[in-house]
């Protein structure tokens, strides 16, 4: 009589796997940020931009690691307005000297700090201010949205560089923090609009309605459910705008309305190099190259982040 206890049932036959097949483990579903990080690690633009930005941040934080020369101390004996005196890379005079005998290389290294500080600080301030105003306007709507949106429109109607010139003109001592204030005073409007649109889209999601039904408060809904899901477009715009703020600082310094001596800045050196472009092109050339590389690095980073955070591109 056959042993019926060892006979497989129909259900077991249906789910039985061949002996040479290994069950596949189901991968844990990744979030939007997890998918974005996987895409960023494979993006060559992100890798190149990250390396450049890390190198620039290192120069800005520790300029003495790259040169021992003073960017403000001049020696008229080294007054050299022609081609740079090429020597060993990293030496004081391998990029030449300006009209006051100051090392162009040292000023290039120390000028990185002012540009990076202005770009990062302005971006942080406008993201915070514009993000809060846009989040409040988009979530509450009604008269709150009307008041904040009209206030944003008023500031948005002021030309950015022209308004910054007017603000800076009222200060006698234009330091780095004065320039940061002038640029941030008029630069938050774009962030406010982007955040408002993202919050309006997110607040109608099912998980927000579920949180309200469970009795979650307004603060918890805003910072726990809406803000993390509305930050993607804001981060993209902020990353790209950072390069624009660095360029704006150089433009204002070039026009004589931004940073001024004794502050070392690429914009100040570009302004000085224009007056000597016929006899000493290197004074204008090197800070212009550094400024272009810095702005390009942040734009590349912003484009890579935008492509990674946009589900349609995946």
């Amino acid at each position: 009589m056959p042993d019926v206890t060892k006979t497989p049932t129909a259900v077991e036959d249906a789910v039985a796997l061949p002996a040479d097949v290994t069950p596949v483990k189901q991968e844990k579903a990744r979030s939007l940020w997890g998918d974005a990080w996987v895409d960023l690690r494979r993006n060559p633009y992100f890798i190149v931009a990250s390396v450049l930005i890390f190198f620039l941040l290192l120069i800005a934080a520790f300029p003495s690691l790259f040169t021992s020369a003073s960017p403000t101390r001049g020696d008229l004996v080294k007054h050299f307005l022609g081609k740079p005196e090429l020597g060993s890379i990293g030496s004081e005079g391998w990029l030449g000297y300006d009209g006051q005998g100051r090392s162009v290389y040292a000023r290039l290294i120390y000028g990185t700090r002012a540009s990076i500080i202005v770009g990062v600080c302005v971006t942080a301030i406008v993201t915070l201010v514009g993000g809060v105003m846009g989040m409040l306007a988009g979530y509450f709507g009604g008269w709150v949205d009307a008041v904040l949106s009209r206030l944003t429109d008023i500031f948005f109607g002021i030309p950015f560089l022209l308004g910054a010139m007017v603000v800076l003109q009222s200060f006698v001592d234009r330091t780095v923090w004065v320039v940061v204030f002038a640029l941030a005073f008029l630069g938050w409007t774009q962030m406010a609009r982007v955040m408002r649109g993202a919050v309006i889209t997110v607040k109608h999601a099912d998980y927000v309605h579920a949180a309200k039904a469970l009795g979650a408060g307004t603060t918890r809904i805003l910072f726990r459910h809406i803000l993390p899901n509305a930050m993607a477009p804001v981060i993209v715009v902020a990353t790209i705008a950072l390069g624009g703020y660095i360029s704006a600082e150089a433009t204002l310094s070039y026009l004589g309305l931004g940073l001024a001596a004794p502050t070392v800045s690429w914009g100040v050196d570009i302004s000085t190099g224009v007056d000597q472009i016929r006899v000493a092109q290197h004074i204008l050339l090197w800070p212009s190259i550094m400024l272009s590389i810095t702005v390009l690095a942040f734009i590349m980073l912003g484009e890579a982040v935008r492509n990674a955070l946009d589900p349609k591109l995946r």
Side-chain angles (χ1 to χ4, degrees), residues 99-145:
Q100 300 182 25
R102 299 173 299 189
S103 171
V104 173
Y105 174 69
R107 293 187 64 82
L108 200 67
I109 294 298
Y110 280 87
T112 308
R113 174 176 293 180
S115 298
I116 294 297
I117 288 177
V118 170
V120 172
C121 291
V122 173
T123 303
I125 294 174
V126 300
T127 303
L128 179 62
V129 176
V132 170
M133 295 191 66
M135 184 169 59
L136 295 178
Y139 180 76
F140 290 105
W143 67 270
V144 177
D145 184 19

Side-chain angles (χ1 to χ4, degrees), residues 224-298:
R224 185 69 180 272
H225 300 283
I226 291 182
L227 183 59
N229 294 282
M231 281 299 296
V234 176
I235 292 176
V236 173
V237 173
T239 307
I240 298 177
L242 198 153
Y245 294 134
I246 294 177
S247 179
E249 178 274 321
T251 302
L252 294 172
S253 299
Y254 169 77
L255 296 175
L257 295 171
L259 299 177
T263 304
V264 182
S265 169
W266 294 335
V268 174
D269 289 346
I270 291 174
S271 179
T272 303
V274 169
D275 298 332
Q276 303 169 349
I277 189 172
R278 293 188 177 183
V279 294
Q281 294 83 6
H282 63 282
I283 300 177
L284 173 65
L285 177 64
W286 295 112
S288 300
I289 291 177
M290 283 294 292
L291 177 63
S292 301
I293 291 175
T294 303
V295 175
L296 178 62
F298 283 104

Side-chain angles (χ1 to χ4, degrees), residues 117-192:
I117 288 177
V118 170
V120 172
C121 291
V122 173
T123 303
I125 294 174
V126 300
T127 303
L128 179 62
V129 176
V132 170
M133 295 191 66
M135 184 169 59
L136 295 178
Y139 180 76
F140 290 105
W143 67 270
V144 177
D145 184 19
V147 172
L148 294 180
S149 297
R150 298 296 77 75
L151 180 63
T152 303
D153 292 340
I154 292 173
F155 278 86
F156 196 80
I158 302 175
F160 180 66
L161 282 179
L162 179 60
M165 292 178 188
V166 174
V167 174
L168 289 172
Q169 192 67 30
S170 60
F171 291 90
V172 178
D173 187 14
R174 292 187 288 272
T175 62
V176 171
W177 301 112
V178 172
V179 175
V180 168
F181 166 76
L183 294 177
F185 181 70
L186 298 171
W188 58 269
T189 54
Q190 185 181 14
M191 299 297 176

Side-chain angles (χ1 to χ4, degrees), residues 25 51 56 89 104 107 141-142 173 177 184 187 204 206 227 233 264 285 303 307 314:
K25 293 183 178 180
V51 171
L56 290 169
I89 295 179
V104 173
R107 293 187 64 82
D173 187 14
W177 301 112
H204 296 294
D206 293 336
L227 183 59
V264 182
L285 177 64
E303 288 294 329
N307 295 336
R314 293 200 298 271

Side-chain angles (χ1 to χ4, degrees), residues 137-139 145 195-204:
Y139 180 76
D145 184 19
M195 177 61 85
R196 176 181 176 273
V199 170
I200 290 176
T201 302
V202 171
K203 76 175 184 178
H204 296 294

